[in-house]
Amino acid sequence: MEPAKPPSSIDRRALLASLSLLPTLSGMLLPAPAPAQTGVTGDPLPSWNDGPAKQAIFDFVRTTTDRANPSYVSPDDRIAVFDQDGTLWVEHPMYTQVVYCLGRVPAVVAQKPQLRDVEPFKTVLSGNQEAITRLSTQQLVKILDTTMSGMSVAQFEDEAKKWLETARHPRWNRFYTELVYQPMLELLRYLRDNAYRTYIVTGGGQGFVRIYARNVYGIPPEQVVGTAVGTSYGYDKNGRPFLTRDPKLLLNDNNAGKPEGIYLMIGQRPYAAFGNSTGDREMLEYTGAGDGARLMMLVLHDDVQREFAYGPALGLPDTKVGTFTQSLYDEAKRKHWTVISMKSDWKRIFAFE
Amino acid sequence: MEPAKPPSSIDRRALLASLSLLPTLSGMLLPAPAPAQTGVTGDPLPSWNDGPAKQAIFDFVRTTTDRANPSYVSPDDRIAVFDQDGTLWVEHPMYTQVVYCLGRVPAVVAQKPQLRDVEPFKTVLSGNQEAITRLSTQQLVKILDTTMSGMSVAQFEDEAKKWLETARHPRWNRFYTELVYQPMLELLRYLRDNAYRTYIVTGGGQGFVRIYARNVYGIPPEQVVGTAVGTSYGYDKNGRPFLTRDPKLLLNDNNAGKPEGIYLMIGQRPYAAFGNSTGDREMLEYTGAGDGARLMMLVLHDDVQREFAYGPALGLPDTKVGTFTQSLYDEAKRKHWTVISMKSDWKRIFAFE
């Protein structure tokens, strides 16, 4: 099992869209987006409006890369961590990986026909979207579990890759890998250009995100930390070794699991951390607890026209996907974390705009 | 618990030396060794004698970095993995980390006096080396467990660092971090100079090895994969977050655990793998199962004069530390893995020679 987020935070209403998302058009995993255009002004963040968020980024990079500054950071220690869902790409109306898992149910049932009349698979196959929204947490875990384990690592990667090359987001009718935020791509590149190693630290499945992270974000597999299952080493009938994905959770990379995952996979405290929900709170706290200059930022989804607006901090209902609570907002203010308003801080949201 | 190797492979006789190893002299964590001298010939591996092992390395690097070669490997995919104990540094008469854990018993008992009269701590404190050698596997696990968990990550790192700056190996009376193999340091550097990312994949404790890996091997924390415990995120009385090391094994990075750990932490199949014992067998198999040019090498400890000679493959008794069996030797020959003879392939073993 490698859930995108803990099942308790899956928006049941969001499941409504699920079955309609089975791929209808084929395509390719998108290549890396064009390099950020710095334009004639030489601005490395051209999709950001001038303002406190953009200024905080510039101040942080200047401070930590200036040898004369007391907060100078050796390139050895320049680590920046990014949540993915809602921070680097769209997470609404539901986490992409949950869409994927629901979409995989027919294929899994075709291979294991005994599941056809067993819940929760029966309900998912029925296409009865009202019933799907009423699936319990345990039932959703069972779906994630069944659709993402019990196969070889190679099979898993092939299947997910095929899906990513065909499935499209219902609102934009574009591949999910196109729905990445252009300002954040520029930020990733700007940090890397300043010798920061950029990591994804996601509640999403580590194996899933690694498939496209290099092409989409310029981030290699070893710099993707995510919710991870164990694997088992074995041999095929020709004696060739292979790894099987087990339904055994090794790391639940949400909330406290984020700093724990950072210790496990990186072994150094980051200097910069970017998130958008309560699931990122501990990662930002842990980053901020270090000495010297640290940069903590939270993306606030407040742009219903160009993307989505959601979260209790905006006085909107909690949709349980990327929840940004009032308490997180208060902590951000108290600790001088920077809140990024998509509406006012981002000139452009997607590369295709 | 973060054992150096599975307790079943701990040489009880090797424990004899343990209590005599408590630090008597102080010093500093050694800085990075001097860069490999390529000398007038421009040889990047000056401590290697000419022969099939050195040739295999040169052939592999030439093949995989030549764009015109069908076995060319993109820099993105250039991953090389190294076992540590017995492959990069001395592992006899006992794994350094086991020496460390036994040496920590007095300090742990000072903090937890209730352990003073409890086995196995009582025996370790007695200094009765005969009795220490008779400790059971479970008792050794208890010692590793107690001495390497239950403290904050920062405390753990401070303690281990202090020890490494003072403890000395009984045979050479040198810091453990001096007992690294000069030919392997040259090999690490040579691979990195050819855009390979070099990883340690050790049965030893990930948190322990990360403390000195950058200084000693030029390998940053995030490129050390090892036996790992879980941690727990919490807050101190001032509300400042910290991580505590739990006595919960997350990854036993030995045998099949090595390819499993590689998938977890790196997410790509290596192109080159280096080991010295049956604990590295699966890592070499997994590496060799990939397409194209792959390099698999095993260090054979056959130099009793300059280092040690051990292992059933040499007709010597199995000392249970870095066991090189006849069956591993046969598999190496069958699969065209290269066996490195320390005696004939290495011109020099240590930098201080």
Side-chain angles (χ1 to χ4, degrees):
Chain A
M1 191 203 58
E2 198 170 75
K5 294 273 174 170
S8 62
S9 69
I10 290 168
D11 178 14
R12 277 154 201 71
R13 280 162 295 165
L15 294 175
L16 279 164
S18 65
L19 291 185
S20 64
L21 294 175
L22 290 174
T24 53
L25 290 164
S26 71
M28 296 290 290
L29 256 194
L30 286 179
Q37 296 301 317
T38 55
V40 289
T41 62
D43 181 354
L45 302 177
S47 299
W48 293 70
N49 288 315
D50 290 336
K54 187 172 185 171
Q55 197 54 50
I57 296 168
F58 284 153
D59 288 347
F60 170 76
V61 170
R62 193 183 336 100
T63 302
T64 58
T65 59
D66 172 7
R67 284 180 181 275
N69 194 297
S71 292
Y72 173 75
V73 176
S74 155
D76 280 350
D77 300 327
R78 292 186 198 161
I79 304 276
V81 291
F82 291 79
D83 170 57
Q84 185 194 222
D85 293 303
T87 299
L88 295 178
W89 75 351
V90 172
E91 64 184 351
H92 267 238
M94 66 194 305
Y95 299 118
T96 304
Q97 195 178 328
V98 175
V99 180
Y100 171 67
C101 289
L102 288 168
R104 259 186 65 72
V105 167
V108 169
V109 171
Q111 285 175 350
K112 298 181 183 173
Q114 69 275 21
L115 297 179
R116 187 174 304 277
D117 297 314
V118 174
E119 290 299 354
F121 307 99
K122 190 177 170 185
T123 294
V124 176
L125 290 171
S126 75
N128 179 339
Q129 300 189 340
E130 275 305 303
I132 291 171
T133 62
R134 287 193 304 271
L135 290 174
S136 71
T137 296
Q138 275 100 331
Q139 288 177 310
L140 287 170
V141 169
K142 197 168 180 181
I143 290 167
L144 292 170
D145 200 349
T146 307
T147 54
M148 296 193 73
S149 68
M151 74 278 278
S152 75
V153 159
Q155 273 178 292
F156 168 76
E157 289 172 359
D158 286 349
E159 293 285 347
K161 200 174 168 190
K162 260 183 233 156
W163 185 83
L164 286 160
E165 289 173 349
T166 50
R168 287 167 180 262
H169 191 283
R171 173 162 166 187
W172 289 275
N173 192 33
R174 288 188 177 268
F175 299 129
Y176 288 91
T177 50
E178 288 180 276
L179 298 175
V180 295
Y181 305 134
Q182 180 62 25
M184 296 306 276
L185 293 179
E186 293 167 5
L187 175 56
L188 285 166
R189 177 178 290 265
Y190 176 53
L191 288 171
R192 287 196 293 263
D193 285 347
N194 282 281
Y196 275 89
R197 302 198 286 297
T198 54
Y199 279 81
I200 290 173
V201 177
T202 175
Q206 181 169 284
F208 185 79
V209 178
R210 281 174 169 177
I211 291 167
Y212 56 86
R214 184 174 339 245
N215 278 350
V216 172
Y217 303 117
I219 293 180
E222 68 266 26
Q223 290 177 1
V224 176
V225 179
T227 295
V229 294
T231 55
S232 294
Y233 179 87
Y235 302 91
D236 69 14
K237 61 184 190 312
N238 301 314
R240 189 181 151 117
F242 70 101
L243 293 170
T244 302
R245 289 172 62 89
D246 295 330
K248 180 195 155 201
L249 189 65
L250 267 193
L251 174 66
N252 180 353
D253 199 45
N254 285 289
N255 302 101
K258 291 207 174 195
E260 293 160 8
I262 288 168
Y263 179 70
L264 176 68
M265 305 279 295
I266 310 177
Q268 291 182 275
R269 191 194 300 268
Y271 274 82
F274 306 87
N276 77 301
S277 79
T278 52
D280 305 313
R281 182 198 295 261
E282 290 83 354
M283 177 169 80
L284 269 66
E285 288 175 347
Y286 180 68
T287 301
D291 297 330
R294 307 272 166 169
L295 180 64
M296 283 69 65
M297 302 186 91
L298 287 168
V299 175
L300 182 66
H301 293 260
D302 59 356
D303 193 332
V304 75
Q305 299 298 329
R306 296 188 297 170
E307 205 243 10
F308 294 101
Y310 51 92
L314 292 170
L316 295 170
D318 183 2
T319 55
K320 312 273 189 196
V321 175
T323 299
F324 196 136
T325 59
Q326 186 61 44
S327 131
L328 179 64
Y329 193 84
D330 294 343
E331 180 170 354
K333 289 291 144 192
R334 200 167 61 245
K335 295 187 171 171
H336 307 290
W337 301 347
T338 304
V339 174
I340 299 165
S341 159
M342 291 181 75
K343 192 169 176 175
S344 42
D345 286 316
W346 288 357
K347 200 174 289 176
R348 187 163 70 140
I349 293 192
F350 302 112
F352 57 77
E353 280 173 11
Chain B
M1 189 202 63
E2 199 171 72
K5 293 273 174 166
S8 62
S9 69
I10 290 166
D11 178 13
R12 278 153 197 73
R13 279 163 295 164
L15 294 173
L16 280 165
S18 66
L19 292 184
S20 63
L21 295 176
L22 290 174
T24 52
L25 291 163
S26 73
M28 297 290 289
L29 255 193
L30 285 180
Q37 296 302 316
T38 54
V40 288
T41 61
D43 182 354
L45 301 176
S47 299
W48 293 70
N49 288 316
D50 291 336
K54 187 172 185 171
Q55 197 54 50
I57 296 167
F58 284 152
D59 289 346
F60 169 77
V61 170
R62 193 184 334 103
T63 302
T64 58
T65 59
D66 173 8
R67 283 180 182 274
N69 195 296
S71 292
Y72 173 75
V73 175
S74 155
D76 280 351
D77 299 327
R78 293 187 199 159
I79 303 276
V81 290
F82 291 79
D83 169 58
Q84 185 194 223
D85 293 302
T87 299
L88 296 178
W89 76 352
V90 171
E91 65 185 348
H92 266 239
M94 66 194 306
Y95 299 118
T96 303
Q97 194 178 329
V98 175
V99 180
Y100 171 66
C101 289
L102 288 168
R104 258 186 66 71
V105 167
V108 168
V109 171
Q111 285 177 349
K112 299 181 184 173
Q114 69 274 23
L115 296 179
R116 187 175 305 277
D117 296 313
V118 175
E119 290 298 354
F121 307 99
K122 189 176 169 184
T123 294
V124 176
L125 291 170
S126 75
N128 178 339
Q129 299 190 338
E130 275 305 302
I132 291 170
T133 62
R134 285 193 306 270
L135 291 174
S136 72
T137 296
Q138 275 101 330
Q139 289 177 310
L140 287 170
V141 170
K142 198 168 180 181
I143 291 167
L144 292 169
D145 200 348
T146 308
T147 54
M148 297 193 73
S149 68
M151 73 278 278
S152 75
V153 160
Q155 274 177 291
F156 169 76
E157 289 172 359
D158 286 349
E159 294 285 346
K161 200 174 167 190
K162 260 183 234 157
W163 185 83
L164 286 160
E165 288 172 350
T166 49
R168 288 169 179 259
H169 190 284
R171 172 161 166 186
W172 288 276
N173 192 31
R174 288 187 175 267
F175 300 129
Y176 287 93
T177 50
E178 289 181 276
L179 298 176
V180 295
Y181 305 134
Q182 180 61 24
M184 296 306 276
L185 293 179
E186 292 168 4
L187 174 56
L188 285 166
R189 175 177 292 264
Y190 177 54
L191 288 170
R192 288 196 292 263
D193 285 346
N194 283 280
Y196 275 89
R197 302 199 285 298
T198 54
Y199 279 79
I200 290 173
V201 178
T202 175
Q206 182 170 283
F208 185 80
V209 178
R210 280 173 169 176
I211 292 168
Y212 56 86
R214 188 181 328 251
N215 278 350
V216 172
Y217 303 117
I219 293 179
E222 68 266 28
Q223 290 178 358
V224 176
V225 178
T227 295
V229 293
T231 55
S232 293
Y233 179 87
Y235 303 90
D236 68 15
K237 60 185 190 313
N238 301 314
R240 187 181 152 115
F242 70 101
L243 294 170
T244 302
R245 290 173 61 89
D246 296 330
K248 179 194 155 203
L249 190 66
L250 267 192
L251 174 66
N252 179 353
D253 200 44
N254 285 288
N255 302 99
K258 291 208 172 192
E260 291 160 9
I262 288 168
Y263 179 70
L264 176 69
M265 305 278 296
I266 310 178
Q268 290 184 277
R269 191 194 300 269
Y271 274 82
F274 305 86
N276 78 301
S277 79
T278 51
D280 305 313
R281 183 199 295 263
E282 289 83 353
M283 177 169 80
L284 270 67
E285 288 175 346
Y286 180 68
T287 301
D291 296 331
R294 308 272 166 170
L295 180 63
M296 283 68 65
M297 302 186 91
L298 286 168
V299 175
L300 182 66
H301 293 261
D302 59 356
D303 193 332
V304 76
Q305 298 299 327
R306 296 187 298 171
E307 204 243 11
F308 293 101
Y310 50 93
L314 293 170
L316 295 170
D318 183 1
T319 54
K320 311 273 189 196
V321 175
T323 299
F324 197 138
T325 58
Q326 186 61 44
S327 131
L328 179 63
Y329 192 85
D330 294 343
E331 181 169 353
K333 289 291 144 190
R334 201 168 60 244
K335 296 186 170 170
H336 307 292
W337 300 348
T338 304
V339 174
I340 300 165
S341 159
M342 291 181 77
K343 192 168 178 178
S344 41
D345 286 316
W346 287 358
K347 200 174 289 177
R348 188 164 69 142
I349 293 191
F350 302 112
F352 57 76
E353 279 174 12

